[in-house]
Structure formats: C-alpha cells, structure tokens
Amino acid sequence: ARRPRVALFSTGDELVIPGTIAPQDMPPGHIYNSNRYFLRALLQRLGCEVVDGGILPDNREQTVEAIHKVAQDCDLVLSSAGVSVGEEDHVKPAVEQQGEMNLWMVSMKPGKPFAYGKVWRNGKDASAGVAHFMGLPGNPVSSFITFLLLVRPFVLRLQGMQDVAPKTMEATAQFEWNQQEKRREFLRVRHGAAGLELFGNQSSGVLTSTVWGDGLIDNPPLTPIQKGDSVRFIT
C-alpha cells in the first residue's frame, strides 16, 4: 500500500516552539509544544508522510481554512488539543462545519477528549472524497496514549494490515493502586525484578512517565490493584 499522508496540527496561542524562548522568559500562561515532536516521530516510524501544519491559532476561520486546505490531499488530519469544551477549542466545530464528527469523548483515562470524524474535500458533501480526522487531547500523556491505542491501529489498517491491535500479556503488579476510577484506566509501568513497577506520578501532563515506562496496564473501571495481582499489560 502507499504511504499514508498525514497532516499534523497543534492548536492554541499558548504554545511556544522549544528553543525560541528560554524557560525563565516564558510569558505567563504559555507552554512548550512538546506534542508536535513525539507525534511527528511516531507517525514517521509508522511509515507516514507527514505534512506539518504547525500551530493553529485560537481563531475559528483560520482553523476551518487550514483543515480544508490539507484535507485536499491528505488521508488523515491529526490534531493535538482543540477538541474539548473550552471557548477557544475551534477544531471540533471546524470539522463539523465541513464534514461530520462521528465520535467525541472516550471513557478512558488519560485520553477522554478524543475525537474522530471526516472532512469533505469540497467542504460540502462526501462526493469529492473525504479525509479522516482524529483529534487528540492536548495533555502530552493523553495525546501519547491515545495515539498508541487508537491512531496507530488506524494508520496500520490504512496500510492494509489486519493484525493491528496492541499486544497484551498477563503480568504481576508490584504496587498498590486504590483509586476508584469510573473510566478504563491506562497506567504507566515498567518491568522490575519481581514484576511491574508503577510510575509515581500518573498525571496526564508528566511526559517523562512515557520515557521511564515500557508499557501500560489496562485497568478496568472501578478496579483496585493489590500487590501480587495479575494485570493486563500492554507492551
């Protein structure tokens, strides 16, 4: 199959390209755009041709125009942030204006504000063809995990692969986890001498947990974990 052509966007006026502003000079309310780099690398590792759309501003009209432009010759439009419920989250309505949103929000943690839809190439209907759209959460770990669990299988299927589900195995937990989360939860862990060790901070903003870990525990809703329990480990 030919290589999928994927347009990659980040969203938000608060984003700053690493290296352009020193940490001590960062304006209030701004953050570095870390998602752009690992998402681009993950796409390239899957064999995709990546069209870097840069940062979409907090402007509805410009967002509509940018998505329409890349939809003309891309198989997938992938955005980071902009699909939640904030006043400046314009990506979701921009897709709905020129296509359809088929899925919005998933009962998983991290990664709830995930979206899937289609963008009409002519902006009006599907007669001229469509580009798929996937919207990832803005928090780095949420974006990373939803890419691995949801985007990666989709991209592999675009290339004709059938066996695209993440690989899982049973493993032993060497920690306790007593939070009663209502959503299906994915915990960052790594193999230790006696079993799986848990990263100490499971916040969706702590991207270092994805470097430290070597997999995820797929934990069902409302399920505490005791030391010695058998858990589902995603490699």
Side-chain angles (χ1 to χ4, degrees):
R2 71 173 175 81
R3 298 171 62 192
R5 185 173 169 87
V6 182
L8 176 62
F9 288 110
S10 304
T11 67
D13 291 341
E14 73 279 8
L15 295 180
V16 174
I17 300 299
T20 59
I21 300 178
Q24 64 271 19
D25 299 326
M26 185 78 80
H30 286 64
I31 56 174
Y32 288 119
N33 184 7
S34 59
N35 294 9
R36 173 189 184 187
Y37 299 95
F38 70 74
L39 290 174
R40 183 184 181 94
L42 289 169
L43 287 168
Q44 289 175 332
R45 288 180 64 180
L46 291 174
C48 297
E49 179 185 350
V50 181
V51 178
D52 194 334
I55 298 174
L56 292 176
D58 292 331
N59 180 282
R60 173 76 171 270
E61 290 73 24
Q62 292 182 48
T63 300
V64 169
E65 181 180 353
I67 292 176
H68 175 74
K69 181 178 179 180
V70 298
Q72 303 311 303
D73 60 359
C74 287
D75 303 291
L76 172 64
V77 179
L78 183 67
S79 74
S80 172
V83 291
S84 193
V85 293
E87 291 182 2
E88 299 297 344
D89 287 333
H90 298 296
V91 175
K92 181 175 178 285
V95 171
E96 292 173 326
Q97 181 175 326
Q98 52 192 329
E100 62 182 15
M101 191 66 69
N102 305 110
L103 179 153
W104 182 50
M105 293 197 177
V106 181
S107 184
M108 62 183 288
K109 181 182 179 181
K112 180 180 178 181
F114 174 85
Y116 170 78
K118 299 181 183 71
V119 180
W120 315 139
R121 298 197 194 281
N122 63 8
K124 298 178 180 180
D125 55 57
S127 61
V130 302
H132 299 280
F133 167 79
M134 286 184 162
L136 305 180
N139 282 327
V141 176
S142 301
S143 187
F144 186 86
I145 289 178
T146 50
F147 183 96
L148 293 180
L149 297 180
L150 303 174
V151 179
R152 181 180 180 274
F154 183 84
V155 170
L156 292 176
R157 187 59 65 87
L158 284 180
Q159 299 180 74
M161 295 184 63
Q162 299 300 312
D163 184 13
V164 299
K167 305 302 180 185
T168 63
M169 59 182 291
E170 294 299 312
T172 302
Q174 289 300 313
F175 61 89
E176 293 189 358
W177 184 254
N178 295 314
Q179 296 189 23
Q180 298 293 303
E181 175 58 48
K182 294 182 180 179
R183 288 175 282 165
R184 187 173 175 181
E185 194 165 18
F186 295 89
L187 305 171
R188 279 84 74 200
V189 295
R190 73 177 179 187
H191 275 103
L196 297 178
E197 301 171 350
L198 182 73
F199 190 77
N201 188 342
Q202 292 289 315
S203 168
S204 59
V206 184
L207 191 58
T208 50
S209 64
T210 65
V211 179
W212 175 91
D214 57 14
L216 301 168
I217 286 179
D218 180 359
N219 197 42
L222 302 174
T223 304
I225 299 174
Q226 302 300 319
K227 187 174 181 179
D229 284 353
S230 179
V231 294
R232 187 179 186 217
F233 177 63
I234 303 175
T235 59

mmCIF file of all heavy atoms in Angstrom, residues 50-97:
data_model
loop_
_atom_site.group_PDB
_atom_site.id
_atom_site.type_symbol
_atom_site.label_atom_id
_atom_site.label_comp_id
_atom_site.label_asym_id
_atom_site.label_seq_id
_atom_site.Cartn_x
_atom_site.Cartn_y
_atom_site.Cartn_z
ATOM 1 N N VAL A 50 4.506 12.889 6.567
ATOM 2 C CA VAL A 50 3.918 13.865 7.487
ATOM 3 C C VAL A 50 3.955 15.268 6.883
ATOM 4 O O VAL A 50 5.007 15.742 6.455
ATOM 5 C CB VAL A 50 4.656 13.867 8.840
ATOM 6 C CG1 VAL A 50 4.011 14.866 9.795
ATOM 7 C CG2 VAL A 50 4.632 12.466 9.459
ATOM 8 N N VAL A 51 2.794 15.906 6.855
ATOM 9 C CA VAL A 51 2.683 17.300 6.470
ATOM 10 C C VAL A 51 2.514 18.107 7.758
ATOM 11 O O VAL A 51 1.477 18.018 8.416
ATOM 12 C CB VAL A 51 1.475 17.533 5.538
ATOM 13 C CG1 VAL A 51 1.344 19.009 5.190
ATOM 14 C CG2 VAL A 51 1.607 16.686 4.288
ATOM 15 N N ASP A 52 3.542 18.849 8.146
ATOM 16 C CA ASP A 52 3.499 19.592 9.404
ATOM 17 C C ASP A 52 2.736 20.895 9.195
ATOM 18 O O ASP A 52 3.226 21.821 8.555
ATOM 19 C CB ASP A 52 4.925 19.873 9.896
ATOM 20 C CG ASP A 52 4.954 20.324 11.351
ATOM 21 O OD1 ASP A 52 3.934 20.874 11.821
ATOM 22 O OD2 ASP A 52 5.978 20.119 12.023
ATOM 23 N N GLY A 53 1.522 20.949 9.747
ATOM 24 C CA GLY A 53 0.690 22.138 9.599
ATOM 25 C C GLY A 53 0.988 23.229 10.599
ATOM 26 O O GLY A 53 0.364 24.291 10.554
ATOM 27 N N GLY A 54 1.917 22.978 11.522
ATOM 28 C CA GLY A 54 2.282 23.986 12.503
ATOM 29 C C GLY A 54 1.233 24.151 13.587
ATOM 30 O O GLY A 54 0.472 23.232 13.901
ATOM 31 N N ILE A 55 1.161 25.352 14.133
ATOM 32 C CA ILE A 55 0.256 25.645 15.241
ATOM 33 C C ILE A 55 -0.962 26.411 14.725
ATOM 34 O O ILE A 55 -0.827 27.462 14.102
ATOM 35 C CB ILE A 55 0.971 26.474 16.328
ATOM 36 C CG1 ILE A 55 2.153 25.686 16.906
ATOM 37 C CG2 ILE A 55 -0.007 26.869 17.433
ATOM 38 C CD1 ILE A 55 3.005 26.485 17.884
ATOM 39 N N LEU A 56 -2.144 25.877 14.968
ATOM 40 C CA LEU A 56 -3.379 26.571 14.623
ATOM 41 C C LEU A 56 -3.676 27.622 15.689
ATOM 42 O O LEU A 56 -3.699 27.317 16.881
ATOM 43 C CB LEU A 56 -4.548 25.595 14.536
ATOM 44 C CG LEU A 56 -4.528 24.584 13.388
ATOM 45 C CD1 LEU A 56 -5.708 23.631 13.522
ATOM 46 C CD2 LEU A 56 -4.565 25.292 12.048
ATOM 47 N N PRO A 57 -3.930 28.869 15.312
ATOM 48 C CA PRO A 57 -4.247 29.904 16.298
ATOM 49 C C PRO A 57 -5.651 29.722 16.856
ATOM 50 O O PRO A 57 -6.458 28.957 16.311
ATOM 51 C CB PRO A 57 -4.130 31.198 15.487
ATOM 52 C CG PRO A 57 -4.497 30.785 14.101
ATOM 53 C CD PRO A 57 -3.943 29.384 13.930
ATOM 54 N N ASP A 58 -5.940 30.433 17.924
ATOM 55 C CA ASP A 58 -7.276 30.392 18.518
ATOM 56 C C ASP A 58 -8.220 31.270 17.700
ATOM 57 O O ASP A 58 -8.711 32.317 18.149
ATOM 58 C CB ASP A 58 -7.231 30.860 19.975
ATOM 59 C CG ASP A 58 -6.490 29.872 20.866
ATOM 60 O OD1 ASP A 58 -6.504 28.672 20.545
ATOM 61 O OD2 ASP A 58 -5.887 30.306 21.865
ATOM 62 N N ASN A 59 -8.481 30.817 16.470
ATOM 63 C CA ASN A 59 -9.322 31.569 15.539
ATOM 64 C C ASN A 59 -10.124 30.585 14.705
ATOM 65 O O ASN A 59 -9.548 29.719 14.036
ATOM 66 C CB ASN A 59 -8.441 32.455 14.650
ATOM 67 C CG ASN A 59 -9.247 33.267 13.655
ATOM 68 O OD1 ASN A 59 -9.697 32.756 12.632
ATOM 69 N ND2 ASN A 59 -9.433 34.546 13.959
ATOM 70 N N ARG A 60 -11.434 30.695 14.735
ATOM 71 C CA ARG A 60 -12.319 29.740 14.065
ATOM 72 C C ARG A 60 -12.107 29.739 12.550
ATOM 73 O O ARG A 60 -11.958 28.669 11.937
ATOM 74 C CB ARG A 60 -13.767 30.088 14.408
ATOM 75 C CG ARG A 60 -14.824 29.297 13.651
ATOM 76 C CD ARG A 60 -14.985 27.892 14.162
ATOM 77 N NE ARG A 60 -16.141 27.243 13.570
ATOM 78 C CZ ARG A 60 -17.377 27.276 14.089
ATOM 79 N NH1 ARG A 60 -17.612 27.943 15.216
ATOM 80 N NH2 ARG A 60 -18.372 26.655 13.491
ATOM 81 N N GLU A 61 -12.086 30.923 11.924
ATOM 82 C CA GLU A 61 -11.984 30.998 10.473
ATOM 83 C C GLU A 61 -10.655 30.432 9.976
ATOM 84 O O GLU A 61 -10.605 29.690 8.977
ATOM 85 C CB GLU A 61 -12.148 32.445 10.008
ATOM 86 C CG GLU A 61 -13.557 33.009 10.155
ATOM 87 C CD GLU A 61 -13.923 33.291 11.615
ATOM 88 O OE1 GLU A 61 -12.983 33.494 12.424
ATOM 89 O OE2 GLU A 61 -15.126 33.282 11.938
ATOM 90 N N GLN A 62 -9.565 30.755 10.650
ATOM 91 C CA GLN A 62 -8.255 30.258 10.234
ATOM 92 C C GLN A 62 -8.158 28.744 10.418
ATOM 93 O O GLN A 62 -7.511 28.059 9.624
ATOM 94 C CB GLN A 62 -7.150 30.970 11.017
ATOM 95 C CG GLN A 62 -7.009 32.439 10.680
ATOM 96 C CD GLN A 62 -5.882 33.098 11.446
ATOM 97 O OE1 GLN A 62 -4.763 32.593 11.513
ATOM 98 N NE2 GLN A 62 -6.172 34.250 12.051
ATOM 99 N N THR A 63 -8.805 28.224 11.445
ATOM 100 C CA THR A 63 -8.808 26.782 11.682
ATOM 101 C C THR A 63 -9.567 26.060 10.573
ATOM 102 O O THR A 63 -9.110 25.037 10.051
ATOM 103 C CB THR A 63 -9.429 26.464 13.056
ATOM 104 O OG1 THR A 63 -8.664 27.100 14.079
ATOM 105 C CG2 THR A 63 -9.449 24.967 13.304
ATOM 106 N N VAL A 64 -10.719 26.579 10.197
ATOM 107 C CA VAL A 64 -11.506 25.996 9.105
ATOM 108 C C VAL A 64 -10.693 25.989 7.823
ATOM 109 O O VAL A 64 -10.627 24.971 7.107
ATOM 110 C CB VAL A 64 -12.823 26.780 8.899
ATOM 111 C CG1 VAL A 64 -13.514 26.341 7.608
ATOM 112 C CG2 VAL A 64 -13.745 26.586 10.088
ATOM 113 N N GLU A 65 -10.059 27.101 7.511
ATOM 114 C CA GLU A 65 -9.290 27.225 6.273
ATOM 115 C C GLU A 65 -8.112 26.256 6.249
ATOM 116 O O GLU A 65 -7.852 25.597 5.228
ATOM 117 C CB GLU A 65 -8.785 28.658 6.125
ATOM 118 C CG GLU A 65 -7.989 28.890 4.847
ATOM 119 C CD GLU A 65 -7.492 30.325 4.738
ATOM 120 O OE1 GLU A 65 -7.868 31.165 5.580
ATOM 121 O OE2 GLU A 65 -6.711 30.605 3.797
ATOM 122 N N ALA A 66 -7.399 26.134 7.372
ATOM 123 C CA ALA A 66 -6.224 25.269 7.426
ATOM 124 C C ALA A 66 -6.609 23.800 7.264
ATOM 125 O O ALA A 66 -5.950 23.045 6.540
ATOM 126 C CB ALA A 66 -5.475 25.479 8.745
ATOM 127 N N ILE A 67 -7.690 23.369 7.920
ATOM 128 C CA ILE A 67 -8.130 21.978 7.819
ATOM 129 C C ILE A 67 -8.629 21.676 6.414
ATOM 130 O O ILE A 67 -8.341 20.612 5.847
ATOM 131 C CB ILE A 67 -9.207 21.678 8.879
ATOM 132 C CG1 ILE A 67 -8.577 21.716 10.284
ATOM 133 C CG2 ILE A 67 -9.863 20.325 8.634
ATOM 134 C CD1 ILE A 67 -9.570 21.526 11.417
ATOM 135 N N HIS A 68 -9.369 22.602 5.833
ATOM 136 C CA HIS A 68 -9.868 22.401 4.467
ATOM 137 C C HIS A 68 -8.712 22.237 3.485
ATOM 138 O O HIS A 68 -8.752 21.383 2.588
ATOM 139 C CB HIS A 68 -10.742 23.581 4.049
ATOM 140 C CG HIS A 68 -11.200 23.521 2.624
ATOM 141 N ND1 HIS A 68 -12.172 22.653 2.191
ATOM 142 C CD2 HIS A 68 -10.780 24.205 1.523
ATOM 143 C CE1 HIS A 68 -12.356 22.811 0.894
ATOM 144 N NE2 HIS A 68 -11.521 23.736 0.459
ATOM 145 N N LYS A 69 -7.670 23.044 3.634
ATOM 146 C CA LYS A 69 -6.541 23.011 2.717
ATOM 147 C C LYS A 69 -5.838 21.659 2.732
ATOM 148 O O LYS A 69 -5.578 21.063 1.675
ATOM 149 C CB LYS A 69 -5.556 24.128 3.067
ATOM 150 C CG LYS A 69 -4.352 24.195 2.146
ATOM 151 C CD LYS A 69 -3.439 25.347 2.529
ATOM 152 C CE LYS A 69 -2.217 25.406 1.613
ATOM 153 N NZ LYS A 69 -1.314 26.536 1.971
ATOM 154 N N VAL A 70 -5.523 21.137 3.925
ATOM 155 C CA VAL A 70 -4.774 19.872 3.991
ATOM 156 C C VAL A 70 -5.643 18.679 3.641
ATOM 157 O O VAL A 70 -5.145 17.635 3.207
ATOM 158 C CB VAL A 70 -4.125 19.669 5.379
ATOM 159 C CG1 VAL A 70 -3.117 20.774 5.671
ATOM 160 C CG2 VAL A 70 -5.178 19.582 6.479
ATOM 161 N N ALA A 71 -6.965 18.821 3.818
ATOM 162 C CA ALA A 71 -7.865 17.703 3.517
ATOM 163 C C ALA A 71 -7.891 17.371 2.031
ATOM 164 O O ALA A 71 -8.322 16.285 1.637
ATOM 165 C CB ALA A 71 -9.282 18.017 3.995
ATOM 166 N N GLN A 72 -7.416 18.294 1.176
ATOM 167 C CA GLN A 72 -7.470 18.072 -0.265
ATOM 168 C C GLN A 72 -6.576 16.925 -0.716
ATOM 169 O O GLN A 72 -6.901 16.207 -1.665
ATOM 170 C CB GLN A 72 -7.087 19.360 -1.012
ATOM 171 C CG GLN A 72 -7.929 20.564 -0.668
ATOM 172 C CD GLN A 72 -9.417 20.275 -0.710
ATOM 173 O OE1 GLN A 72 -9.931 19.839 -1.747
ATOM 174 N NE2 GLN A 72 -10.112 20.504 0.390
ATOM 175 N N ASP A 73 -5.438 16.735 -0.042
ATOM 176 C CA ASP A 73 -4.518 15.692 -0.497
ATOM 177 C C ASP A 73 -3.919 14.865 0.637
ATOM 178 O O ASP A 73 -2.881 14.241 0.467
ATOM 179 C CB ASP A 73 -3.394 16.299 -1.341
ATOM 180 C CG ASP A 73 -2.567 17.329 -0.587
ATOM 181 O OD1 ASP A 73 -2.871 17.586 0.599
ATOM 182 O OD2 ASP A 73 -1.621 17.863 -1.170
ATOM 183 N N CYS A 74 -4.574 14.863 1.796
ATOM 184 C CA CYS A 74 -4.112 14.043 2.923
ATOM 185 C C CYS A 74 -5.147 12.959 3.234
ATOM 186 O O CYS A 74 -6.347 13.165 3.049
ATOM 187 C CB CYS A 74 -3.869 14.898 4.166
ATOM 188 S SG CYS A 74 -2.377 15.922 4.070
ATOM 189 N N ASP A 75 -4.662 11.830 3.701
ATOM 190 C CA ASP A 75 -5.551 10.737 4.095
ATOM 191 C C ASP A 75 -6.109 10.952 5.494
ATOM 192 O O ASP A 75 -7.227 10.541 5.799
ATOM 193 C CB ASP A 75 -4.790 9.405 4.059
ATOM 194 C CG ASP A 75 -4.186 9.140 2.703
ATOM 195 O OD1 ASP A 75 -4.958 8.901 1.757
ATOM 196 O OD2 ASP A 75 -2.948 9.169 2.578
ATOM 197 N N LEU A 76 -5.312 11.592 6.344
ATOM 198 C CA LEU A 76 -5.680 11.772 7.751
ATOM 199 C C LEU A 76 -5.239 13.150 8.214
ATOM 200 O O LEU A 76 -4.114 13.575 7.934
ATOM 201 C CB LEU A 76 -5.012 10.699 8.614
ATOM 202 C CG LEU A 76 -5.119 10.834 10.142
ATOM 203 C CD1 LEU A 76 -6.574 10.732 10.607
ATOM 204 C CD2 LEU A 76 -4.271 9.766 10.837
ATOM 205 N N VAL A 77 -6.130 13.847 8.906
ATOM 206 C CA VAL A 77 -5.798 15.102 9.580
ATOM 207 C C VAL A 77 -5.746 14.799 11.070
ATOM 208 O O VAL A 77 -6.734 14.333 11.651
ATOM 209 C CB VAL A 77 -6.843 16.191 9.289
ATOM 210 C CG1 VAL A 77 -6.477 17.481 10.015
ATOM 211 C CG2 VAL A 77 -6.971 16.428 7.796
ATOM 212 N N LEU A 78 -4.603 15.043 11.681
ATOM 213 C CA LEU A 78 -4.395 14.720 13.093
ATOM 214 C C LEU A 78 -4.090 15.998 13.853
ATOM 215 O O LEU A 78 -3.138 16.712 13.520
ATOM 216 C CB LEU A 78 -3.239 13.727 13.240
ATOM 217 C CG LEU A 78 -2.935 13.216 14.650
ATOM 218 C CD1 LEU A 78 -4.079 12.348 15.167
ATOM 219 C CD2 LEU A 78 -1.623 12.428 14.666
ATOM 220 N N SER A 79 -4.891 16.289 14.861
ATOM 221 C CA SER A 79 -4.672 17.498 15.654
ATOM 222 C C SER A 79 -4.386 17.134 17.103
ATOM 223 O O SER A 79 -4.787 16.078 17.590
ATOM 224 C CB SER A 79 -5.892 18.423 15.592
ATOM 225 O OG SER A 79 -6.963 17.895 16.372
ATOM 226 N N SER A 80 -3.698 18.033 17.761
ATOM 227 C CA SER A 80 -3.414 17.899 19.191
ATOM 228 C C SER A 80 -4.070 19.068 19.903
ATOM 229 O O SER A 80 -3.716 20.227 19.664
ATOM 230 C CB SER A 80 -1.899 17.898 19.423
ATOM 231 O OG SER A 80 -1.596 17.950 20.806
ATOM 232 N N ALA A 81 -5.051 18.773 20.769
ATOM 233 C CA ALA A 81 -5.857 19.756 21.501
ATOM 234 C C ALA A 81 -6.868 20.421 20.574
ATOM 235 O O ALA A 81 -6.889 20.180 19.368
ATOM 236 C CB ALA A 81 -4.982 20.789 22.197
ATOM 237 N N GLY A 82 -7.738 21.219 21.159
ATOM 238 C CA GLY A 82 -8.744 21.927 20.374
ATOM 239 C C GLY A 82 -10.046 21.184 20.176
ATOM 240 O O GLY A 82 -10.926 21.663 19.460
ATOM 241 N N VAL A 83 -10.194 19.986 20.803
ATOM 242 C CA VAL A 83 -11.435 19.224 20.614
ATOM 243 C C VAL A 83 -12.186 19.040 21.939
ATOM 244 O O VAL A 83 -13.049 18.191 22.055
ATOM 245 C CB VAL A 83 -11.164 17.839 19.980
ATOM 246 C CG1 VAL A 83 -10.705 17.983 18.554
ATOM 247 C CG2 VAL A 83 -10.145 17.049 20.798
ATOM 248 N N SER A 84 -11.864 19.873 22.928
ATOM 249 C CA SER A 84 -12.543 19.769 24.214
ATOM 250 C C SER A 84 -13.688 20.782 24.258
ATOM 251 O O SER A 84 -14.328 21.053 23.235
ATOM 252 C CB SER A 84 -11.537 19.978 25.357
ATOM 253 O OG SER A 84 -12.109 19.596 26.587
ATOM 254 N N VAL A 85 -13.948 21.381 25.412
ATOM 255 C CA VAL A 85 -15.133 22.232 25.558
ATOM 256 C C VAL A 85 -14.778 23.676 25.911
ATOM 257 O O VAL A 85 -15.640 24.436 26.328
ATOM 258 C CB VAL A 85 -16.077 21.654 26.648
ATOM 259 C CG1 VAL A 85 -16.670 20.343 26.193
ATOM 260 C CG2 VAL A 85 -15.344 21.480 27.982
ATOM 261 N N GLY A 86 -13.522 24.072 25.726
ATOM 262 C CA GLY A 86 -13.118 25.432 26.033
ATOM 263 C C GLY A 86 -13.616 26.431 24.994
ATOM 264 O O GLY A 86 -13.973 26.075 23.865
ATOM 265 N N GLU A 87 -13.637 27.710 25.367
ATOM 266 C CA GLU A 87 -14.112 28.761 24.473
ATOM 267 C C GLU A 87 -13.272 28.863 23.207
ATOM 268 O O GLU A 87 -13.764 29.253 22.151
ATOM 269 C CB GLU A 87 -14.103 30.112 25.200
ATOM 270 C CG GLU A 87 -15.130 30.226 26.311
ATOM 271 C CD GLU A 87 -15.116 31.597 26.952
ATOM 272 O OE1 GLU A 87 -14.323 32.457 26.502
ATOM 273 O OE2 GLU A 87 -15.897 31.836 27.891
ATOM 274 N N GLU A 88 -11.982 28.527 23.308
ATOM 275 C CA GLU A 88 -11.094 28.637 22.153
ATOM 276 C C GLU A 88 -10.774 27.280 21.516
ATOM 277 O O GLU A 88 -9.790 27.154 20.785
ATOM 278 C CB GLU A 88 -9.783 29.343 22.570
ATOM 279 C CG GLU A 88 -9.974 30.750 23.103
ATOM 280 C CD GLU A 88 -10.546 31.711 22.058
ATOM 281 O OE1 GLU A 88 -10.517 31.381 20.855
ATOM 282 O OE2 GLU A 88 -11.029 32.795 22.445
ATOM 283 N N ASP A 89 -11.574 26.270 21.800
ATOM 284 C CA ASP A 89 -11.400 24.960 21.167
ATOM 285 C C ASP A 89 -12.206 24.949 19.866
ATOM 286 O O ASP A 89 -13.390 24.603 19.845
ATOM 287 C CB ASP A 89 -11.854 23.840 22.110
ATOM 288 C CG ASP A 89 -10.886 23.625 23.263
ATOM 289 O OD1 ASP A 89 -9.694 23.934 23.089
ATOM 290 O OD2 ASP A 89 -11.311 23.134 24.316
ATOM 291 N N HIS A 90 -11.554 25.303 18.768
ATOM 292 C CA HIS A 90 -12.255 25.517 17.499
ATOM 293 C C HIS A 90 -12.176 24.335 16.540
ATOM 294 O O HIS A 90 -12.839 24.352 15.497
ATOM 295 C CB HIS A 90 -11.687 26.752 16.804
ATOM 296 C CG HIS A 90 -11.859 28.025 17.575
ATOM 297 N ND1 HIS A 90 -13.105 28.546 17.865
ATOM 298 C CD2 HIS A 90 -10.947 28.864 18.137
ATOM 299 C CE1 HIS A 90 -12.962 29.675 18.559
ATOM 300 N NE2 HIS A 90 -11.666 29.892 18.738
ATOM 301 N N VAL A 91 -11.350 23.333 16.837
ATOM 302 C CA VAL A 91 -11.138 22.256 15.868
ATOM 303 C C VAL A 91 -12.411 21.442 15.644
ATOM 304 O O VAL A 91 -12.787 21.156 14.504
ATOM 305 C CB VAL A 91 -9.981 21.345 16.314
ATOM 306 C CG1 VAL A 91 -9.845 20.151 15.373
ATOM 307 C CG2 VAL A 91 -8.673 22.128 16.349
ATOM 308 N N LYS A 92 -13.078 21.058 16.716
ATOM 309 C CA LYS A 92 -14.296 20.250 16.584
ATOM 310 C C LYS A 92 -15.358 20.966 15.745
ATOM 311 O O LYS A 92 -15.880 20.381 14.778
ATOM 312 C CB LYS A 92 -14.840 19.888 17.960
ATOM 313 C CG LYS A 92 -16.106 19.030 17.935
ATOM 314 C CD LYS A 92 -16.486 18.621 19.353
ATOM 315 C CE LYS A 92 -17.779 17.802 19.371
ATOM 316 N NZ LYS A 92 -18.956 18.666 19.147
ATOM 317 N N PRO A 93 -15.729 22.205 16.045
ATOM 318 C CA PRO A 93 -16.723 22.872 15.185
ATOM 319 C C PRO A 93 -16.219 23.107 13.762
ATOM 320 O O PRO A 93 -17.019 23.121 12.822
ATOM 321 C CB PRO A 93 -16.996 24.195 15.909
ATOM 322 C CG PRO A 93 -15.874 24.385 16.854
ATOM 323 C CD PRO A 93 -15.416 23.024 17.237
ATOM 324 N N ALA A 94 -14.900 23.258 13.580
ATOM 325 C CA ALA A 94 -14.354 23.441 12.236
ATOM 326 C C ALA A 94 -14.537 22.184 11.404
ATOM 327 O O ALA A 94 -14.842 22.259 10.206
ATOM 328 C CB ALA A 94 -12.879 23.814 12.313
ATOM 329 N N VAL A 95 -14.351 21.014 12.018
ATOM 330 C CA VAL A 95 -14.576 19.748 11.315
ATOM 331 C C VAL A 95 -16.058 19.576 11.017
ATOM 332 O O VAL A 95 -16.451 19.192 9.907
ATOM 333 C CB VAL A 95 -14.043 18.562 12.150
ATOM 334 C CG1 VAL A 95 -14.472 17.234 11.530
ATOM 335 C CG2 VAL A 95 -12.528 18.633 12.267
ATOM 336 N N GLU A 96 -16.915 19.865 11.996
ATOM 337 C CA GLU A 96 -18.363 19.713 11.805
ATOM 338 C C GLU A 96 -18.889 20.650 10.712
ATOM 339 O O GLU A 96 -19.853 20.318 10.021
ATOM 340 C CB GLU A 96 -19.081 19.976 13.124
ATOM 341 C CG GLU A 96 -18.819 18.910 14.173
ATOM 342 C CD GLU A 96 -19.393 19.263 15.536
ATOM 343 O OE1 GLU A 96 -19.401 20.460 15.885
ATOM 344 O OE2 GLU A 96 -19.815 18.348 16.249
ATOM 345 N N GLN A 97 -18.251 21.798 10.552
ATOM 346 C CA GLN A 97 -18.683 22.769 9.544
ATOM 347 C C GLN A 97 -18.462 22.258 8.129
ATOM 348 O O GLN A 97 -19.223 22.608 7.213
ATOM 349 C CB GLN A 97 -17.930 24.092 9.748
ATOM 350 C CG GLN A 97 -18.313 25.186 8.764
ATOM 351 C CD GLN A 97 -17.630 26.498 9.074
ATOM 352 O OE1 GLN A 97 -17.401 26.836 10.235
ATOM 353 N NE2 GLN A 97 -17.291 27.267 8.043
#
